[in-house]
Amino acid sequence: MTWRSLLRTPRAIVSKTLFALFSRWPHITLYYNLPEKTAIIQRVREIKAQCDLLLADDEAYQLVALLQSVAKTPGDIAEVGTYRGGSARLICEFKGTKALHLFDTFTGLPRTGIHDYEGFKEGQYSATIEIAQRAVAGYDSVFLYPGLFPDTAAPIADTQFSFVHLDVDLYEWTLEGLKYFYPRLAPGGIIITHDAITTDRGAGLAFHEFFADKKEPVIALSRSQAMIVKVGD
């Protein structure tokens, strides 16, 4: 792909292309004096054939740093959009004794809509559940739920959560995740999303629409992540 053709490419594809070009440059992100997290992120990234971590280094670091920040907050952990299990394995490295619930169609992205970026297509990012199972094998209290969320959420209906990672790429399914998890999120708990590229389409639009009438501000992070911290009553 040339730079000229890149300029004519839908933004979602451009984002993925730039990620592939730059995310692994070690000098792009500096982690100051915290080499332990960096080493674990790189170790997970190096087992690409087993789990394929698609987060850039700074995104992966933000994910685990925020996860550690809710260690004292009661509740389980959930991820919607597990794909091959890269971020799930990273979460396993830092979750402690908390249960981790992983949701994915394992047949690729569900239907797209008018609020989504053209670069995302139904069936994209398809991976079998067996690949994700291998990625998290050996870790305790990890549960996988194949199918379209929230249709598969019955087993966690009465569960409280301290941390939720949404990585479903699309507007409708990000919104469905927020509707489901926000009432079940403990005060001080965090919901973080990937692919919140702008506030007018996709996951970013879903986040800003959902929280428009709520107390929590949407906090933009580096690259395409955004998050909220649940405010107590």
Side-chain angles (χ1 to χ4, degrees):
M1 177 177 288
T2 66
W3 287 109
R4 182 170 296 176
S5 65
L6 193 63
L7 294 175
R8 297 193 297 268
T9 303
R11 183 167 182 168
I13 297 178
V14 172
S15 177
K16 298 292 184 182
T17 303
L18 293 177
F19 163 78
L21 288 172
F22 299 127
S23 67
R24 290 170 177 79
W25 286 14
H27 62 278
I28 289 294
T29 51
L30 301 177
Y31 298 149
Y32 303 100
N33 296 315
L34 301 170
E36 296 84 2
K37 291 186 181 68
T38 306
I40 292 174
I41 290 168
Q42 295 309 316
R43 186 169 71 241
V44 171
R45 191 179 301 288
E46 287 167 3
I47 54 174
K48 178 180 176 67
Q50 183 175 349
C51 63
D52 201 4
L53 178 64
L54 294 184
L55 299 177
D57 284 351
D58 53 338
E59 293 174 326
Y61 186 84
Q62 286 166 166
L63 181 72
V64 298
L66 291 168
L67 175 59
Q68 287 188 310
S69 76
V70 297
K72 295 181 180 179
T73 303
D76 290 0
I77 302 165
E79 178 179 72
V80 185
T82 294
Y83 185 41
R84 293 170 57 89
S87 54
R89 185 180 180 112
L90 192 59
I91 290 171
C92 286
E93 292 278 352
F94 294 92
K95 74 180 184 66
T97 59
K98 291 187 176 185
L100 172 59
H101 305 271
L102 303 174
F103 296 87
D104 199 289
T105 64
F106 295 107
T107 57
L109 292 179
R111 66 177 182 271
T112 61
I114 61 172
H115 297 304
D116 294 315
Y117 296 98
E118 295 177 358
F120 292 125
K121 303 297 182 183
E122 186 172 359
Q124 190 176 0
Y125 303 119
S126 177
T128 67
I129 190 172
E130 289 78 15
I131 294 174
Q133 286 172 331
R134 289 196 296 270
V136 298
Y139 296 95
D140 294 331
S141 302
V142 180
F143 309 95
L144 288 88
Y145 308 86
L148 186 61
F149 186 89
D151 296 345
T152 54
I156 62 166
D158 298 322
T159 304
Q160 185 180 52
F161 291 87
S162 60
F163 190 86
V164 178
H165 180 216
L166 300 178
D167 193 1
V168 295
D169 302 315
L170 307 178
Y171 165 83
E172 179 180 354
W173 307 109
T174 300
L175 193 59
E176 289 295 327
L178 293 172
K179 290 177 181 177
Y180 190 88
F181 285 109
Y182 179 76
R184 294 170 172 83
L185 193 67
I190 290 173
I191 301 178
I192 181 172
T193 187
H194 195 231
D195 293 300
I197 301 169
T198 68
T199 61
D200 62 346
R201 299 184 77 179
L205 175 60
F207 250 64
H208 281 81
E209 282 189 355
F210 184 82
F211 287 102
D213 61 351
K214 295 175 176 60
K215 295 179 287 187
E216 293 83 4
V218 176
I219 304 168
L221 303 175
S222 68
R223 295 191 191 249
S224 66
Q225 288 175 313
M227 60 170 283
I228 64 95
V229 181
K230 183 72 173 286
V231 177
D233 296 331

